[in-house]
């Protein structure tokens, strides 16, 4: 069964750090594009970071560059989002996403359940 399970969210003070984890099952993360999205209250879901199967990474917004890093551990079949120097505007539900294929090789997106990140003093 294809599944993504996020963890690592929580309450952190401004300037603090969190590392989110996304454990995958039913497919291999190193063979697929993996993404992190976030959705703040009242706002649309936005792309945070992407990791290609070749290992190339992209941080989507200038406001996150230099603070966020996406990576993976192939042995654990897990993708991470390291977030440093957190700001109140980073408060959101963070979702892991993968682009995989069904038995007919038709691509489709898989989503995790999300993990809440709250940045507040």
């Amino acid at each position: 069964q294809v599944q993504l399970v996020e963890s690592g969210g929580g309450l952190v003070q401004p300037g603090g750090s969190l590392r989110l984890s996304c454990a995958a099952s039913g497919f291999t993360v190193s063979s697929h594009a993996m993404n992190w999205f976030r959705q703040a209250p009242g706002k649309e879901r936005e792309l945070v970071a992407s990791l290609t199967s070749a290992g190339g990474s992209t941080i989507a917004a200038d406001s996150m560059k230099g603070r966020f890093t996406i990576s993976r551990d192939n042995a654990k079949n897990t993708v991470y989002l390291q977030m440093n120097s957190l700001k109140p505007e980073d408060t959101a539900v963070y979702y892991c996403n993968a682009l995989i294929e069904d038995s007919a090789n038709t691509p489709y997106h898989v989503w995790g359940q999300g993990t809440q990140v709250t940045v507040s003093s």
Side-chain angles (χ1 to χ4, degrees), residues 34-87:
M34 300 294 298
N35 307 289
W36 283 97
F37 285 77
R38 71 183 184 185
Q39 188 165 19
K43 295 188 177 181
E44 293 187 352
R45 191 170 297 188
E46 64 173 342
L47 178 66
V48 174
S50 298
L51 185 64
T52 70
S53 57
S57 64
T58 305
I59 302 300
D62 288 344
S63 62
M64 304 173 202
K65 292 178 181 177
R67 300 190 298 123
F68 291 9
T69 305
I70 186 172
S71 63
R72 71 185 181 214
D73 184 329
N74 294 341
K76 295 182 177 180
N77 209 33
T78 297
V79 175
Y80 302 98
L81 182 68
Q82 178 68 45
M83 304 185 294
N84 300 325
S85 301
L86 283 162
K87 305 175 181 180

Side-chain angles (χ1 to χ4, degrees), residues 3 6 9 13-14 19 32 35 39 42-43 60 69 82 91-93 99 102 105-106:
Q3 191 175 16
E6 300 103 332
Q13 292 186 342
R19 188 178 78 159
H32 297 83
N35 307 289
Q39 188 165 19
K43 295 188 177 181
T69 305
Q82 178 68 45
T91 295
V93 178
L99 182 63
D102 63 16
N105 278 331
T106 302

